Amino acid sequence: DLDEIILRAGSGVEDAVRIRKSDVLGRATLPVSNMPAGIVNTLRREEVLDLLAYLLADGKTGPSAAK
């Protein structure tokens, strides 16, 4: 819906929260990532590639998402 914003927790376990755009007082881009610093250094190569594919897919799913 174009009239609302959907917020999802970083863990992905909690339910998404829907907020009407008209209720938002302001928005700002954070200067840093939500990902904890250095966490990528703990991932195996395959996990890093999976993470990159997920980020590049930008919410798309299916075989064409990784292209």
Side-chain angles (χ1 to χ4, degrees), residues 2-51:
L2 297 177
D3 295 326
E4 64 184 8
I5 296 172
I6 301 172
L7 303 175
R8 292 182 180 87
S11 68
V13 175
E14 296 87 358
D15 290 334
V17 176
R18 296 175 181 270
I19 300 173
R20 289 190 311 261
K21 286 184 179 179
S22 61
D23 290 338
V24 176
L25 300 177
R27 293 171 67 171
T29 302
L30 296 176
V32 296
S33 170
N34 287 336
M35 184 181 290
I39 198 165
V40 74
N41 298 329
T42 67
L43 302 176
R44 295 185 319 269
R45 181 179 187 276
E46 295 80 18
E47 292 172 319
V48 172
L49 294 174
D50 287 344
L51 174 60

